[in-house]
Each structure stands twice: as C-alpha cells, then as structure tokens.
Amino acid sequence: MKIGLAADHGGYELKNQILIWLREAGFAVVDMGAHTYDGADDYPDLVHPLAEAVSAGQFDRGIAVCGSGVGAAIVANKSKGVRAALITETYSARQGVEHDDMNLMCLGGRVIGPELARELVLAFANATFSGEERHNRRLEKLKKLENQPK
Ligand code: RB5
C-alpha cells in the first residue's frame, strides 16, 4: 500500500504528523508537499498533483489536508478515477473504502484534533474495498458518469 500526502498551509502541520503515523504503522508514504510552510499557498496547487498521481495509479490512496478539508475534496474529485471525501468520523473513514472504494481522504487541519485525525488515518489506510456486487455495480455507474460525453 503506497499512500501520497498533500496539504496547503491550513493542513501543513497535520500532514507532517500523518506522515509520521503512517510510517510508524508500516505504510509506504510519499509527501507531495507543501514541503515548507507558506501561509500564502493555494490548496489546488498542492492537492491536484496528488489527485493526479492517485488517478494515474502512482499511489493506492491519498490523504489531502487543508484548513477545512472542503477545498481539498473539491479539487481532488476533479481528477478521473479519484473518489475523494471529507471525513470527520471513523465510521466513514472505514466504510467509505469498504463500500465506495474511496481512494482519497480529505481532512480539515483546523477542524479535528490530533487523536481523532490519527484514528481516521489508520481506519482509512487499513480498510479494504469489499468487492461486493452491489458496490461494484455502483462504482460502474460512477465510471459511466465520469466517461459520458458532455
Ligand atoms: C486556507 O486558508 C483555507 O481556506 C483552505 O485551507 C481550506 O480550508 C479550503 O477549503
């Protein structure tokens, strides 16, 4: 399992902490930036490259952090094949993977505390897609929507 991380200034500290937690838990993690704190950076510039890397299969999963997690989710879902969601509780961190094959989790660095964030990250990283027929059927419908001509 290879996991990519990205954050703007609103998620910078939490992203650095997530890197440590995931490595401690034995995951292969790549930090896509920001690599230094820049209070004027913009989340699309950080999160879009991560989402494109997930889309291209360079990472199995991604975690993106901005201040609220909202902007990160909006930009991440613009990349084909990315299924991103803003997550605030552990049930959805796990079930979003098991049912919806969520491959990019977004967190709000200004919204959640470190202990909850750690639980969310580990629940997401340790979850696997169930592969059940009803969930595959729904994913196929999503793929069709993504591929339909405008
Ligand atoms: C940055 O100040 C903040 O607006 C951004 O991180 C995020 O919360 C957007 O959704």
Side-chain angles (χ1 to χ4, degrees):
M1 166 83 69
K2 196 170 176 187
I3 303 177
L5 303 181
D8 74 350
H9 58 281
Y12 180 75
E13 297 298 338
L14 179 55
K15 182 264 294 172
N16 291 343
Q17 193 58 61
I18 291 170
L19 180 71
I20 295 166
W21 293 329
L22 285 173
R23 285 192 175 148
E24 278 173 358
F27 293 96
V29 193
V30 176
D31 183 353
M32 300 276 288
H35 298 295
T36 54
Y37 180 85
D38 174 359
D41 64 11
D42 299 323
Y43 63 83
D45 298 331
L46 284 311
V47 177
H48 182 63
L50 170 66
E52 286 293 295
V54 171
S55 171
Q58 290 164 29
F59 301 124
D60 304 295
R61 306 262 172 93
I63 300 175
V65 194
C66 66
S68 64
V70 173
I74 290 170
V75 67
N77 278 309
K78 297 199 180 297
S79 295
K80 197 168 181 175
V82 169
R83 294 172 295 276
L86 169 57
I87 297 296
T88 59
E89 36 70 35
T90 48
Y91 175 79
S92 300
R94 176 182 53 77
Q95 191 253 21
V97 176
E98 291 174 347
H99 288 200
D100 310 313
D101 206 11
M102 172 173 64
N103 54 12
L104 203 154
M105 184 172 74
C106 301
L107 301 176
R110 293 174 178 160
V111 180
I112 51 173
E115 288 309 318
L116 174 58
R118 186 170 179 276
E119 287 191 15
L120 299 180
V121 163
L122 294 176
F124 171 65
N126 285 308
T128 49
F129 178 56
S130 73
E132 282 176 48
E133 191 280 331
R134 64 194 168 122
H135 300 311
N136 278 321
R137 184 178 72 231
R138 290 158 192 166
L139 284 176
E140 283 308 312
K141 290 183 179 183
L142 287 176
K143 271 184 205 155
K144 260 193 198 153
L145 288 172
E146 217 170 36
N147 290 324
Q148 77 187 0
K150 299 266 176 214

